[in-house]
Amino acid sequence: MLFMADIQQADEQVETAGGAAAGKRAGRRAAKLAREIRAFATTHGGSAEGQLAHIGRGRIRIALVGANGEWGNLVADDADTAKDAAAQAGLTLQDDFDGDLAARVRTGRYEWSRMAGIQVGGPANA
């Protein structure tokens, strides 16, 4: 015969096991993002800075700006994973994507043509 306490304890063990598996997945995802951040920094001048922004449904954009002004984005499943990845990669995080960080971004013809295409009738978004 099972008592309520026994059922509750069994439920807690299942939740703990499920939480541990999810934690391992999040850890692997953070490690992968950290490798991608380090690769970006290495490719773009040896260092990078970043900024975290919520983009919806719990997902977080990691905006990266390399030392050479090139920029890119990565997406994490949640804020904890994004922060963990940034810490593992040694990424300096800024509070906002404005001021000094935005001023370092180097845009090229592609970005300008895309912006013009979207706003003032330039090339189509194909």
Side-chain angles (χ1 to χ4, degrees), residues 24-39:
K24 286 182 183 179
R25 280 191 301 276
R28 285 192 304 269
R29 179 68 178 140
K32 182 176 187 246
L33 286 167
R35 285 191 303 274
E36 292 173 348
I37 292 168
R38 285 190 298 271

Side-chain angles (χ1 to χ4, degrees), residues 4-67:
M4 185 59 98
D6 295 330
I7 294 170
Q8 183 177 2
Q9 183 179 8
D11 288 345
E12 288 171 359
Q13 288 173 347
V14 169
E15 287 175 13
T16 302
K24 286 182 183 179
R25 280 191 301 276
R28 285 192 304 269
R29 179 68 178 140
K32 182 176 187 246
L33 286 167
R35 285 191 303 274
E36 292 173 348
I37 292 168
R38 285 190 298 271
F40 176 88
T42 300
T43 304
H44 297 291
S47 66
E49 291 187 50
Q51 189 262 338
L52 305 181
H54 180 263
I55 57 174
R57 296 186 186 227
R59 298 183 58 118
I60 303 295
R61 175 186 69 149
I62 306 170
L64 302 168
V65 179

Side-chain angles (χ1 to χ4, degrees), residues 16-17 23 27 30-31 33-34 60 66 83 90-91 99 101 106 114:
T16 302
L33 286 167
I60 303 295
K83 289 174 187 175
L91 183 67
L101 186 62
R106 191 180 77 207
R114 294 283 294 175

